[in-house]
Amino acid sequence: MHLLKVSILTILITTFSFVQQSRADTIVPPIKTQVNEVAQWFTGFFDNAQQIANSPSVPLITMSNCSVQVDDTNPLADTQNVYLEQESPGFERLRLYSFSERNLAVNLSISSFLNENTVRGLCNHSQSTRTVSINNVENNTCNLQLFWEPNSYIGNNAPNGCITSDGFKVVSDVTIEQNSIDSLDKIFDAKDNLLIATPIEFRQVESVPEPSVTLGLLVLGIWSTKNAISDNLKQKSKKNKTSVI
């Protein structure tokens, strides 16, 4: 009888602990916390090499994301700015990603640069010198809402998407998790015909460290070696611009 009571008590304690943990896992954090967390998850060195192992037809894309300061803006504003630099044999893409509070979601605003030459390679600089001039950021932005789920942030801007400078429409789906970013950009022409819809599965290969001479050379060496084949192909291919989150 004593053993039965102990067993029942153990079951009750275990069940209570499980319920408490489940409740803790489903409590939505404050929006400010969400902004900081998703921006942190978004920073780092990524590529889709794992995806290519199973889908050789998908192009290799490397992505360097690092936190930056935007001058002439309020430093106390609850906005986290991340510079993004993507490279592939067929294109290059440089963007400013700004994460901010928007009611019950995180607003992601994506901006192009007027002069990309002034920001290219920005993640190779120390954090204190990663500054973007607001005068170099285009006024038109592409926006989507990111909604918190346990262990991830999910968003899309369907059905309207964003209109590109050449008249195309880009409808984006994105899932951001710690160490991974999955994106799908559906590109439509002016007649709403679907042109491209290739999912890209980015996985983090390195965090963005504070560069020292030794560490900077090490990271650069790893990154350069990984992209040697891609660089050779790139020299034979004219760079075009597209929209991949």
Side-chain angles (χ1 to χ4, degrees):
M1 187 67 177
H2 178 69
L3 291 177
L4 179 58
K5 290 182 179 179
V6 171
S7 299
I8 294 174
L9 181 59
T10 301
I11 293 173
L12 290 175
I13 292 174
T14 302
T15 303
F16 178 76
S17 299
F18 176 78
V19 171
Q20 290 296 98
Q21 182 62 44
S22 298
R23 289 179 177 175
D25 291 340
T26 56
I27 294 176
V28 180
I31 295 297
K32 183 175 182 179
T33 300
Q34 294 182 36
V35 169
N36 293 332
E37 182 175 62
V38 70
Q40 182 180 17
W41 288 359
F42 197 78
T43 60
F45 295 121
F46 299 80
D47 66 26
N48 64 329
Q50 292 184 25
Q51 178 186 16
I52 293 174
N54 298 319
S55 303
S57 61
V58 177
L60 174 66
I61 304 174
T62 60
M63 183 167 66
S64 305
N65 303 341
C66 56
S67 61
V68 295
Q69 295 294 325
V70 179
D71 63 8
D72 296 328
T73 59
N74 181 6
L76 300 179
D78 293 327
T79 298
Q80 297 294 325
N81 295 299
V82 177
Y83 168 76
L84 174 145
E85 183 169 322
Q86 290 179 345
E87 286 192 281
S88 179
F91 72 90
E92 175 189 63
R93 182 168 177 267
L94 313 180
R95 295 290 187 272
L96 177 67
Y97 278 57
S98 298
F99 300 86
S100 60
E101 301 180 25
R102 176 67 61 85
N103 297 326
L104 299 178
V106 176
N107 184 68
L108 172 56
S109 177
I110 305 171
S111 306
S112 301
F113 295 101
L114 297 173
N115 184 354
E116 295 184 338
N117 292 328
T118 63
V119 295
R120 184 177 288 107
L122 194 58
C123 291
N124 295 328
H125 301 173
S126 64
Q127 185 171 2
S128 60
T129 60
R130 293 183 205 141
T131 302
V132 172
S133 172
I134 192 64
N135 295 323
N136 191 32
V137 179
E138 289 191 356
N139 292 327
N140 295 329
T141 62
C142 181
N143 295 277
L144 60 96
Q145 307 298 306
L146 297 172
F147 293 91
W148 179 91
E149 291 191 7
N151 304 315
S152 66
Y153 292 88
I154 299 176
N156 68 75
N157 56 5
N160 297 327
C162 294
I163 305 301
T164 65
S165 58
D166 49 12
F168 291 167
K169 180 177 74 173
V170 182
V171 177
S172 300
D173 288 273
V174 60
T175 299
I176 302 173
E177 299 180 354
Q178 192 170 20
N179 303 321
S180 71
I181 301 171
D182 292 339
S183 68
L184 171 61
D185 287 330
K186 298 178 181 178
I187 303 178
F188 300 85
D189 63 15
K191 296 182 179 180
D192 214 30
N193 297 311
L194 180 62
L195 303 178
I196 299 175
T198 302
I200 303 296
E201 301 172 2
F202 290 105
R203 298 297 177 263
Q204 190 176 69
V205 293
E206 289 284 346
S207 60
V208 177
E210 270 304 296
S212 64
V213 174
T214 303
L215 185 57
L217 291 175
L218 176 61
V219 172
L220 181 60
I222 294 173
W223 196 249
S224 298
T225 302
K226 194 175 186 66
N227 295 315
I229 297 176
S230 176
D231 289 341
N232 289 333
L233 292 174
K234 189 186 305 178
Q235 294 175 2
K236 301 177 182 179
S237 175
K238 182 180 179 180
K239 291 184 176 181
N240 298 312
K241 296 182 179 179
T242 188
S243 295
V244 179
I245 283 200

